[in-house]
Amino acid sequence: WQFSLGAILALFHDVILTLGVFSLFSLEINLSIVAAVLTIVGYSMNDTVVIFDRVRENLNKFSDVKIFDLTNISINETLSRTIITSITTLLALVSIYIFGGEILKGFSLAMILGVIFGTYSSIYIANPILILLNVSQKTISKEDKELLFSIIHKDKNGEERYVFSRKGKNGIKSNSMVGSISIKNGLIIE
């Protein structure tokens, strides 16, 4: 839950700052701006997940390193990818802003702001939340014990059944079925 809290706060940061700039300069917020804000949410979430995934990998790899140093290592490992992605996206958005005409100016401006704020928040907002909440390998191993997994059964009618259960220390916990899905000919039946 610590990772999700950091990601959600970073998303709120991005959306509020982008809409705040539009409000501050009395720019019109229309449907294309709303679309840009939703795209910003996806872009920022992806950026945050890439860094958090590296933090999670490094938590399993370096169990004796403190979370402050670990997030610093993880950010440094993903920094080149983050910068290259942001610059490439910004090049496309700036060209749309300059050459796209009046209709696309608001959309591209919102996206430019969102990419800048999203990159900033993935590094400087989301990761300090992990440090603040003192995430450790114990936190990760506790979450891994409760991960959901699926078992595939094939019925005599040709239906595939996916049963989702909770995984515990010694394998599957008895009576822990969470849900199931039946699929026949590639279509979900129930």
Side-chain angles (χ1 to χ4, degrees), residues 11-180:
L11 288 179
F12 277 122
H13 169 271
D14 302 339
V15 170
I16 289 170
L17 280 182
T18 303
L19 293 176
V21 167
F22 271 76
S23 177
L24 186 67
F25 293 108
S26 299
L27 299 172
E28 179 186 4
I29 297 178
N30 54 24
L31 204 53
S32 67
I33 305 306
V34 173
V37 168
L38 292 175
T39 308
I40 290 165
V41 167
Y43 181 88
S44 178
M45 181 59 75
N46 180 53
D47 212 18
T48 305
V49 164
V50 166
I51 295 173
F52 278 178
D53 188 44
R54 188 57 59 95
V55 170
R56 191 180 292 262
E57 285 175 16
N58 287 340
L59 271 170
N60 290 327
K61 215 187 298 183
F62 309 113
S63 59
D64 57 336
V65 177
K66 294 186 180 190
I67 188 64
F68 178 81
D69 297 326
L70 197 89
T71 55
N72 193 25
I73 291 168
S74 302
I75 289 169
N76 285 329
E77 288 176 352
T78 57
L79 191 61
S80 64
R81 176 251 174 229
T82 302
I83 290 173
I84 290 169
T85 304
S86 298
I87 288 174
T88 306
T89 308
L90 284 172
L91 285 173
L93 290 171
V94 167
S95 65
I96 290 172
Y97 183 80
I98 294 170
F99 302 115
E102 196 60 37
I103 294 174
L104 293 176
K105 276 204 190 290
F107 174 80
S108 57
L109 178 62
M111 285 296 298
I112 289 168
L113 293 172
V115 167
I116 292 168
F117 295 147
T119 303
Y120 168 81
S121 71
S122 296
I123 296 170
Y124 295 108
I125 303 291
N127 277 295
I129 299 294
L130 298 180
I131 296 167
L132 204 73
L133 297 173
N134 202 19
V135 173
S136 65
Q137 185 171 11
K138 292 177 186 173
T139 310
I140 301 301
S141 63
K142 191 187 310 180
E143 289 174 6
D144 286 345
K145 289 177 189 170
E146 298 178 2
L147 285 175
L148 298 176
F149 72 101
S150 64
I151 305 171
I152 304 172
H153 300 283
K154 204 147 198 176
D155 292 348
K156 54 188 166 197
N157 301 336
E159 292 180 16
E160 294 178 359
R161 189 164 216 40
Y162 294 81
V163 179
F164 299 96
S165 302
R166 294 207 181 271
K167 185 172 84 171
K169 288 182 183 176
N170 301 323
I172 305 169
K173 291 183 182 177
S174 59
N175 300 326
S176 65
M177 189 175 98
V178 178
S180 66

